[in-house]
Amino acid sequence: MKGFIAILLLTISLQVTGQAVWENHNAPVYGYLSRMAMKGNIELNDIILPISRSKILEHLDTLQTKQLSAIEKKELGFYLQEYKAALNPFPGAPPLTKGKNNPSSLSPHPSSLSILKKDPFGRFRFLGVSNKDFKLFIDPIIGMQQTVGTPSQYRTLSNGINLWGQAGRLGFQLYYRDFGLTGSGLKLLNQENPNTAFIELFNVDPNKLNHNEVKAHMSYSWKNGSISIGKDHLLWGYGESGKIVLSDRAPSFPYLRLDYQPLKWMSFNYTHAWLNSNILDTVRTYRTGTSGVIGDIRIRYIPKFMATHSVSFLPIKGLTLSVGESMVYSDKLDIGFLIPVMFFKPYDNNRSNYVINAGSNAQFFFQASARNLIKNTHFYSTVFIDEIRLSSIFNSQKARNQLGITAGMGVTDCFLPYLTIGAEYTRVNPFVYNNLIPAQNYSQYNYSLGDWMGNNFDRALFLMKYTPIPKLRLEMRLQKIRKAGPGTLLQQYEAEPQPPFLFDFQKNRTDMSFNVQYEWLNNLYLFGRLLSTKQSPVNAISTKYRQLNIGMSYGL
């Protein structure tokens, strides 16, 4: 903690160019920018999500000088309506606009108040306040969804609030959404799917389920970096059907986050997260002496943390190489992991006296991304190393290659303008994400921080994305999965040779889906999804499930 306070104090005097208000990682603008980067129109660093609204605006501004299709131009104007509110309002700040023909197109309105009307940029606001040194925007969140088919049929109603703004050198946000589900098969919704898992609120009725999502942060930014404290997801790497390093499968977590770009071709990220082990700490749990009221007990869980940092390099235009390290540790906060430039693995070896039972759970990961090196394409690959013996990597008797890999590619404007075709393969070996100490598994609330399928599986994906008219996004997916058992700790740590990939094979799975989403107005979505799943367990009859989801939402 002292290290973070020192960094914050040292940067107070630096010039501010834009506050870090993190944009929801599910926002459609990410897909738009990713495609623009695939075409070579912008240099996009989206290996780590979310990114800030001001950074998104910089990319949108750059696109105003590019040759775009009619659909791309209309979508650009639509997104500018949303993100111009991130403009830096401070007097004397350098102009953001790069367009030669429209040098004042992004100039901020000096002062405005919008209540149930459009702001100066044409975006409808429930509440928007902006002047030279303060901004506040508040939108309600309202959602309705109907799901029919098997194995679950239910209706979802949700409501909440999204509040964000800037005050002096600070950015801030509060996102809260409450979900109420009514129907059948609700206990299956958290099982083996890529959707973000939720923490169920107590309900005695099996046909009703409630949960909520809350995210918040405050940040301080300077010319080429930011530091923030908050609660959100942190995504790392690429993956259309799942991310093997950090995904949004597990519930969000509190964190300290530092982003710094000292050079145009190099950027650095550090995050320290507070996780939930979901394991009872029997030593610290105690009786309350309250005459047996609600069990007469105070429950404590084993503390759990994660520190992660990574560096990205841009050796040539369009090529990004990244390397990172993470450490999941437990029991008590360790200041050594609060040092952003610490080499976590040797530090942990020293502090644990090189005793495995006293140590923590370390990971290394790598990412390569090539955009538009071949026209309109994106090639990417991620490697996640949980444990490896370099000295015996090719020795089938001694090897401990507990790692995962994703490799994929996409090409846009393929046959048709705005048609993107992609393919991806993911393989995660046995025992990845698991640890000798259960409180140090690579998980949050018992859900994987990495890929939603866990370990000992592989997955092949083919997809097509098409935008026939502005803001209408169509997507078709076909994926095949082979899944095997997780194995035991005895097999993981003592078996030689290690059990082979896909040992204890359990099932084949095939998913086909068609998704449609239309953003009618800023932040107002109409959507539908048709999903067909076939599961073929070993020595059992295959089962088929079909589900149709339709709904609308104001707010993500």
Side-chain angles (χ1 to χ4, degrees), residues 491-507:
Q491 291 172 316
Q492 178 175 351
Y493 285 92
E494 297 189 10
E496 285 192 0
Q498 290 269 276
F501 176 61
L502 292 181
F503 81 97
D504 185 25
F505 187 77
Q506 295 185 347
K507 64 181 177 182

Side-chain angles (χ1 to χ4, degrees), residues 61 64-65 80 84 97-107:
D61 183 42
Q64 292 189 100
T65 65
L80 282 170
K84 279 182 181 179
T97 302
K98 302 172 184 176
K100 295 180 180 179
N101 300 325
N102 194 12
S104 61
S105 62
L106 293 183
S107 296

Side-chain angles (χ1 to χ4, degrees), residues 150-151 532-535 541-546:
T150 55
S532 175
T533 298
K534 179 181 179 181
Q535 303 218 46
I541 299 174
S542 297
T543 56
K544 293 183 178 180
Y545 306 107
R546 291 185 177 88

Side-chain angles (χ1 to χ4, degrees), residues 6 15 25 49 52-53 69-70 72 90 131 150 156 213 247 278 306 309 350-351 370 407 429 448 459 503 508 510:
Q15 180 183 1
H25 66 274
L49 295 179
S52 70
R53 295 176 68 95
S69 69
E72 292 167 346
F90 299 110
N131 61 30
T150 55
T156 304
E213 182 178 15
S247 70
N278 239 15
M306 178 181 67
H309 52 195
N350 291 337
R351 78 182 190 115
N429 284 349
S448 173
R459 175 177 60 229
F503 81 97
N508 287 296
T510 302

Side-chain angles (χ1 to χ4, degrees), residues 363-378:
Q363 302 82 34
F364 294 94
F365 40 90
F366 307 88
Q367 174 77 60
S369 169
R371 282 178 163 135
N372 201 46
L373 295 186
I374 300 176
K375 185 176 175 61
N376 294 349
T377 62
H378 184 200

Side-chain angles (χ1 to χ4, degrees), residues 95-158:
L96 178 64
T97 302
K98 302 172 184 176
K100 295 180 180 179
N101 300 325
N102 194 12
S104 61
S105 62
L106 293 183
S107 296
H109 194 276
S111 182
S112 67
L113 172 63
S114 303
I115 302 177
L116 296 177
K117 65 178 183 180
K118 293 183 178 180
D119 66 14
F121 306 119
R123 204 280 204 190
F124 179 82
R125 298 286 179 189
F126 279 83
L127 174 63
V129 180
S130 179
N131 61 30
K132 67 176 183 178
D133 55 8
F134 178 76
K135 292 188 177 191
L136 174 64
F137 300 95
I138 300 177
D139 278 317
I141 298 174
I142 303 170
M144 296 177 288
Q145 176 179 306
Q146 183 67 49
T147 301
V148 297
T150 55
S152 303
Q153 298 190 58
Y154 57 94
R155 181 178 68 252
T156 304
L157 299 176
S158 62

Side-chain angles (χ1 to χ4, degrees), residues 50-288:
I51 60 179
S52 70
R53 295 176 68 95
S54 59
K55 180 59 69 174
I56 290 172
L57 180 60
E58 287 183 26
H59 292 308
L60 295 174
D61 183 42
T62 299
L63 289 172
Q64 292 189 100
T65 65
K66 304 298 182 180
Q67 293 294 325
L68 306 179
S69 69
I71 292 178
E72 292 167 346
K73 287 180 180 178
K74 289 182 179 179
E75 291 193 324
L76 175 59
F78 180 76
Y79 289 129
L80 282 170
Q81 283 185 327
E82 176 67 34
Y83 293 99
K84 279 182 181 179
L87 281 168
N88 189 333
F90 299 110
L96 178 64
T97 302
K98 302 172 184 176
K100 295 180 180 179
N101 300 325
N102 194 12
S104 61
S105 62
L106 293 183
S107 296
H109 194 276
S111 182
S112 67
L113 172 63
S114 303
I115 302 177
L116 296 177
K117 65 178 183 180
K118 293 183 178 180
D119 66 14
F121 306 119
R123 204 280 204 190
F124 179 82
R125 298 286 179 189
F126 279 83
L127 174 63
V129 180
S130 179
N131 61 30
K132 67 176 183 178
D133 55 8
F134 178 76
K135 292 188 177 191
L136 174 64
F137 300 95
I138 300 177
D139 278 317
I141 298 174
I142 303 170
M144 296 177 288
Q145 176 179 306
Q146 183 67 49
T147 301
V148 297
T150 55
S152 303
Q153 298 190 58
Y154 57 94
R155 181 178 68 252
T156 304
L157 299 176
S158 62
N159 60 84
I161 187 173
N162 185 31
L163 176 156
W164 68 274
Q166 302 167 192
R169 301 183 177 189
L170 300 176
F172 58 90
Q173 183 178 35
L174 170 63
Y175 174 99
Y176 174 78
R177 189 166 192 168
D178 183 78
F179 295 85
L181 289 74
T182 305
S184 61
L186 300 180
K187 295 297 182 182
L188 303 175
L189 298 184
N190 263 343
Q191 298 180 10
E192 201 180 84
N193 66 75
N195 301 325
T196 300
F198 51 83
I199 305 163
E200 295 184 27
L201 303 181
F202 176 75
N203 200 324
V204 296
D205 189 340
N207 294 321
K208 292 184 178 180
L209 189 152
N210 294 93
H211 66 94
N212 59 57
E213 182 178 15
V214 59
K215 297 185 285 188
H217 79 268
M218 293 193 68
S219 65
Y220 170 83
S221 302
W222 61 97
K223 182 178 180 180
N224 52 0
S226 67
I227 186 170
S228 61
I229 179 171
K231 179 181 181 289
D232 203 343
H233 291 98
L234 182 73
L235 282 66
W236 199 99
Y238 296 113
E240 290 283 354
S241 187
K243 299 179 187 293
I244 60 175
V245 178
L246 285 172
S247 70
D248 63 350
R249 171 55 175 159
S252 60
F253 44 75
Y255 64 79
L256 290 170
R257 173 176 173 176
L258 169 68
D259 294 271
Y260 181 49
Q261 186 170 358
L263 302 168
K264 184 178 181 180
W265 50 268
M266 182 175 72
S267 60
F268 173 79
N269 170 269
Y270 165 83
T271 302
H272 188 281
W274 280 254
L275 305 178
N276 189 301
S277 69
N278 239 15
I279 297 176
L280 185 67
D281 187 337
T282 56
V283 174
R284 297 170 68 232
T285 295
Y286 57 88
R287 293 289 179 182
T288 58

